[in-house]
Amino acid sequence: MILFKDEFKVFFDDLQLKKISDQCLRTSLNAFNVNNGNIPKWTIALDALKAMPKGKIELNEPYISINQNSLDSEILESAFKKLLPWRKGPFMFNNLKLESEWQGDLKWKRLQKHITPLKNRRVLDVGAGNGYFTLRMAMEGAKKVLGIEPFLLFNYQYAAIKSLISNEINVMLLPIRLEEMPSSATFDSVFSMGVLYHQRSHMEHLLKLKDMMAPGAELILETLVVEGPKGYVLIPEGRYAQMRNVHCLPSIETLKSWLADANFNNIKVVDISKTSPKEQRRTEWIGDNAASLEDFLDPSDPSLTKEGYPAPTRVIIICNN
Ligand SMILES: C[S@@+](CC[C@H](N)C(=O)[O-])C[C@H]1O[C@@H](n2cnc3c(N)ncnc32)[C@H](O)[C@@H]1O
């Protein structure tokens, strides 16, 4: 099933986006050309949701909410539970609360006051997960918000939410990796949140983000950091806080120097926050026996991960190209 087919043409009917439309389409179609044993189950969930009445998307802090009197909570819950685990959110459908592992509104609150307002801007959300933040960006009045996320389950979760929305909203999520995007100075605001530490080459990631930025655009970069002087980078051996594929945790000064090396300007650190068990928590929406932050930390010293590294701290940096 191609999740985005109906909307693609309408979304890319835009002076700037037209230039990257063909390659985005080809790459996205390719991404669905896989044998994934979960797709039948995800498709059943999506078909059930598509058949339901639609409602207006609104903010009902801390939830993104969709209200429609005749939505049947039992059908909704059963469909959404076929799409576990829900990492990003939270969402609410009438009074059904989908409490995702991450309380995403907390990150949004940390950055919202610092960014250039998104109204009428073209926005790229790299590593968008299920599109929780992509939707928040669109709800700020952006002209177009494109989320890119290679993990197929998260594309299905996004399609599930989107299928319940009645109002026009200029947003789209596609199964594309940043490296696969056609380089094009298209977007006025580019977000890379929680993605840099998963990259084997941090410089390639930063340079590619820059390639996507229109003249005078803004980059919002959020990533894990550790304390240390300029030049210091922690390269975890094996897992970090039980996560595989964590390749680099720079000090803030190191990260700023990487951005300067990539020729970014006006580099501002706007927030440094330790991840708390309020923000990343165990909920029924991440599945049975699932673990979350508290299980990833050393029980005798929560300032350390189970592997003995400093517990997760994230920085938000804003800069221009
Ligand atoms: C930790 S999640 C962050 C999700 C969301 N941006 C947030 O801040 O909560 C990182 C996401 O980035 C995606 N990702 C990893 N490498 C990527 C790449 N090269 N291009 C696009 N997305 C990528 C992963 O599949 C994952 O869903």
Side-chain angles (χ1 to χ4, degrees):
M1 178 193 273
I2 307 296
L3 302 181
F4 53 84
K5 224 166 150 188
D6 301 339
E7 310 157 39
F8 190 91
K9 247 183 148 165
V10 179
F11 183 85
F12 278 87
D13 187 12
D14 169 89
L15 209 61
Q16 295 298 325
L17 293 180
K18 264 194 180 132
K19 299 183 203 158
I20 59 171
S21 145
D22 285 354
Q23 195 168 327
C24 285
L25 183 61
R26 262 198 313 277
T27 310
S28 302
L29 290 174
N30 229 359
F32 281 103
N33 201 4
V34 287
N35 266 335
N36 180 326
N38 286 310
I39 285 181
K41 178 176 73 175
W42 298 341
T43 305
I44 290 172
L46 195 51
D47 286 344
L49 293 168
K50 278 186 175 164
M52 298 193 78
K54 297 175 193 334
K56 189 161 182 254
I57 186 168
E58 283 165 330
L59 203 57
N60 183 356
E61 295 273 13
Y63 305 94
I64 288 184
S65 83
I66 298 174
N67 281 301
Q68 218 292 349
N69 285 341
S70 45
L71 278 177
D72 180 322
S73 296
E74 270 178 37
I75 300 182
L76 280 177
E77 181 163 354
S78 145
F80 284 129
K81 288 243 161 112
K82 289 191 174 71
L83 299 168
L84 293 177
W86 286 84
R87 300 279 174 216
K88 306 297 165 174
F91 298 95
M92 189 159 127
F93 310 93
N94 289 351
N95 45 22
L96 173 71
K97 292 180 174 165
L98 194 167
E99 298 285 5
S100 50
E101 178 183 16
W102 285 84
Q103 179 101 21
D105 61 299
L106 295 176
K107 188 192 291 193
W108 191 249
K109 275 204 190 90
R110 289 200 291 274
L111 65 85
Q112 190 188 24
K113 52 185 177 286
H114 299 290
I115 62 176
T116 302
L118 299 179
K119 198 159 180 54
N120 288 329
R121 289 167 82 90
R122 292 185 184 87
V123 181
L124 178 66
D125 183 16
V126 175
N130 65 17
Y132 171 82
F133 292 109
T134 326
L135 289 165
R136 294 290 305 248
M137 293 165 199
M139 291 164 85
E140 299 273 322
K143 186 197 259 313
K144 298 274 176 184
V145 190
L146 175 61
I148 55 172
E149 169 54 54
F151 195 45
L152 280 192
L153 168 63
F154 297 155
N155 283 263
Y156 274 81
Q157 290 182 350
Y158 168 80
I161 305 280
K162 189 80 197 305
S163 71
L164 294 173
I165 303 175
S166 60
N167 47 315
E168 281 286 311
I169 175 159
N170 296 322
V171 60
M172 171 130 228
L173 188 80
L174 292 174
I176 306 182
R177 307 184 70 82
L178 177 64
E179 313 77 279
E180 296 168 331
M181 285 293 280
S183 290
S184 167
T186 297
F187 297 93
D188 308 304
S189 297
V190 172
F191 289 77
S192 163
M193 303 196 294
V195 188
L196 183 71
Y197 52 84
H198 287 309
Q199 308 311 304
R200 283 184 193 285
S201 167
H202 58 271
M203 262 342 248
E204 264 173 42
H205 185 74
L206 296 177
L207 290 169
K208 185 71 190 196
L209 291 169
K210 193 152 179 277
D211 279 350
M212 304 313 300
M213 294 166 71
E218 190 167 88
L219 171 69
I220 299 93
L221 178 70
E222 192 245 17
T223 194
L224 288 167
V225 286
V226 287
E227 276 183 27
K230 183 172 168 183
Y232 184 74
V233 192
L234 170 65
I235 299 175
E237 247 178 65
R239 294 185 180 214
Y240 170 82
Q242 300 293 295
M243 280 184 285
R244 287 188 210 97
N245 303 327
V246 174
H247 296 293
C248 65
L249 291 88
S251 69
I252 292 178
E253 287 309 312
T254 301
L255 181 57
K256 282 161 71 180
S257 75
W258 290 351
L259 286 163
D261 288 348
N263 277 331
F264 284 99
N265 301 303
N266 307 324
I267 301 163
K268 295 185 293 274
V269 174
V270 299
D271 185 80
I272 305 166
S273 294
K274 258 193 179 326
T275 305
S276 74
K278 179 174 180 234
E279 185 168 2
Q280 188 185 10
R281 67 250 162 99
R282 221 179 293 131
T283 77
E284 60 170 306
W285 289 93
I286 53 176
D288 298 335
N289 306 319
S292 189
L293 181 67
E294 283 176 312
D295 309 290
F296 305 152
L297 301 180
D298 179 343
S300 60
D301 181 358
S303 72
L304 297 177
T305 66
K306 277 210 161 139
E307 303 84 7
Y309 296 121
T313 295
R314 289 161 196 269
V315 71
I316 300 173
I317 293 188
I318 297 183
C319 54
N320 299 104
N321 52 345

